[in-house]
Amino acid sequence: MTDQTVDVAIVGSGFAGLGAAVKLAEAGRGDFVILEKGESVGGTWRDNTYPGCACDVQSHLYSFSFAPNPDWTRTFARQPEIRAYLESIADRYGLRDRLRFGREITGMEWDGSRWAVSSADGSVVHARAVVWGTGPLHLPSTPDIEGLEDFRGTAFHSSRWNHDHDLRGRRVAVIGTGASAIQFVPQIQREVGSLTLFQRTAPWVLPKPDREIPAVLRSLYRAFPAAQRVQRSLVYARNEMLVGGFLKPARMKVIEGFARAYLDRKFADRPDLKAKLTPDFTIGCKRILMSNDYYSALKQPNVDVVTDGIVRVTEKGVVTADGIEHEVDTIIFGTGFRVGEGMGEVAVTGRDGVKLADVWADGPQAHLGTTVAGFPNLFLMIGPNTGLGHSSMVFMIESQTSFIVDALRLLDAHGATALDTRRDRQDAFNAEIQKRLEGSVWNSGGCKSWYLDASGNNRTVWPGYTFDYRRRTRKVNPADHELVA
Ligand code: NAP
């Protein structure tokens, strides 16, 4: 495998990688490659093929502003449509010849002027800058439950759905009740023999205002793109109104009231289930879920909701703390992702031999969720504290791409080799972010979520309005960085 030298190496070809590629090309910076571990584009929308997989952000907003799709068939698009959209972006923007599939990155090293980006296949790409676009949802998290290796049936994670395994008539265990599980549970409930749902924490669930977009409206969007832009802006503005509630949890009571009313309505005849499914934390502390069929599915006679903790797995099934062995043929893990470990096991060595794993030993921190002091010309997409509970990550991705394009412009304007963030500015930024998070619903809503790390720090969420993030990333503030000659 031969080495290659390019100006920019982009890692990942989901929304982040493709979005960055389009904007780099548009800025006249076509000397890049996109390194992708899989065999096709789409990122998490390629990996997640579980039944019912769909977006919980409105499609008009969950798409690139520069590539509106008038053909979305539903308010909340489903996975095949989103994946097809990303494939169409690769075609429409001529990215195919830049894509290198089967390149799983194992390490990156800064040699003083370039990054050497190594892949598992032995190839190395040398690049002045790296855009790390693997996102937080690509490393499945499967709990290390005692005895799992002894299980004689079939077990898989929701993001690695085993489509060869016929679920019809089987006894199925589902572990987890997050955004993924509430989408596939109603789909598989109809065909399985029995479904035992292991719930550790009851989530808040709201009805999903998901509708088909009528053909006449789609024609309108095709004929008058401005109409779709107006629609997008309305959705954006409505979502931003939630931010005030996230920061001042008392205001979340209104939304919690809706969710309680939904529970009351759905379980008027099943107080036993209602008690199990009523959350004990303020809504918004964990991601707010939306579904129109989850609660109905749980009321079906072939479903059992188990709230006793799982202690181990045996050859035949799952044993809970009350000593009951729940015999099953299949275990499906809807247990989420190793969020915050987007770099996974990749060994990243920056200036002076500093290892990112050491710098991040107490949790990931970056400047504006994008750059890390000591790691020049490395740009993280959806880095620390850029996650949202209320709006579209594509908006954040587009903000970051402006920042990256401006950083490269700045380098060229000064004839500099590298841009390295000043440690004091990064620390000040993080202190500000953590201050803003104090008292927010994520930090004080009374739940344990993956928004918080083991030390209770929130390294996940952007604590404010997305337009504020956009303002701050529109241009690089030279005072925040050192330009290395
Ligand atoms: P998740 O939200 O992290 O949920 C994981 C679930 O597994 C939780 O119910 C968790 O319980 C449970 N769990 C984890 N470890 C467990 C263990 N050892 N024993 C028992 N239960 C365990 O994961 P996800 O549902 O896959 O969703 C991940 C993220 O993907 C979402 O938050 C969202 O950002 C994204 N997503 C988005 C969409 C979309 O429409 N845009 C759709 C699906 C997913 P606890 O609550 O007790 O921790």
Side-chain angles (χ1 to χ4, degrees), residues 7-8 24 29 128-129 377 379 403-413 476:
D7 190 36
V8 183
L24 284 174
R29 299 186 176 279
R128 175 168 72 139
N377 294 1
F379 300 100
F403 181 92
I404 295 166
V405 168
D406 195 51
L408 295 175
R409 181 199 58 76
L410 197 69
L411 283 181
D412 290 348
V476 173

Side-chain angles (χ1 to χ4, degrees), residues 334-351:
T335 43
F337 299 88
R338 288 157 56 196
V339 178
E341 293 179 51
M343 307 293 271
E345 278 77 40
V346 179
V348 184
T349 309
R351 268 173 115 175

Side-chain angles (χ1 to χ4, degrees), residues 151-156 161-174 185 187-198 301-304 315-317 326-332:
F151 182 59
R152 290 249 189 89
T154 301
F156 55 89
W161 197 268
N162 184 345
H163 291 279
D164 297 331
H165 180 67
D166 190 353
L167 289 172
R168 276 175 299 181
R170 291 198 200 264
R171 300 165 304 168
V172 177
V174 171
V185 160
Q187 302 293 317
I188 65 170
Q189 174 274 322
R190 298 176 202 141
E191 56 179 33
V192 300
S194 67
L195 194 157
T196 311
L197 178 63
F198 293 89
N302 64 340
V303 179
D304 187 17
E315 286 180 3
K316 291 195 267 176
H326 304 266
E327 290 193 15
V328 291
D329 309 305
T330 312
I331 301 176
I332 306 176

Side-chain angles (χ1 to χ4, degrees), residues 424-447:
D424 58 334
R425 306 296 285 226
Q426 181 179 312
D427 289 345
F429 169 76
N430 279 286
E432 176 211 325
I433 292 293
Q434 293 305 322
K435 181 108 195 86
R436 276 212 258 162
L437 282 161
E438 276 171 21
S440 71
V441 72
W442 306 292
N443 286 35
S444 68
C447 76

Side-chain angles (χ1 to χ4, degrees), residues 46-90:
R46 173 203 59 214
D47 292 345
N48 283 275
T49 59
Y50 60 77
C53 182
C55 194
D56 56 13
V57 177
Q58 300 85 341
S59 318
H60 288 310
L61 190 58
Y62 198 81
S63 33
F64 292 119
S65 61
F66 55 81
N69 175 14
D71 299 320
W72 291 124
T73 60
R74 306 194 68 83
T75 355
F76 294 87
R78 295 177 177 166
Q79 177 265 345
E81 234 178 304
I82 302 175
R83 185 177 179 188
Y85 171 77
L86 288 170
E87 288 281 355
S88 79
I89 294 291

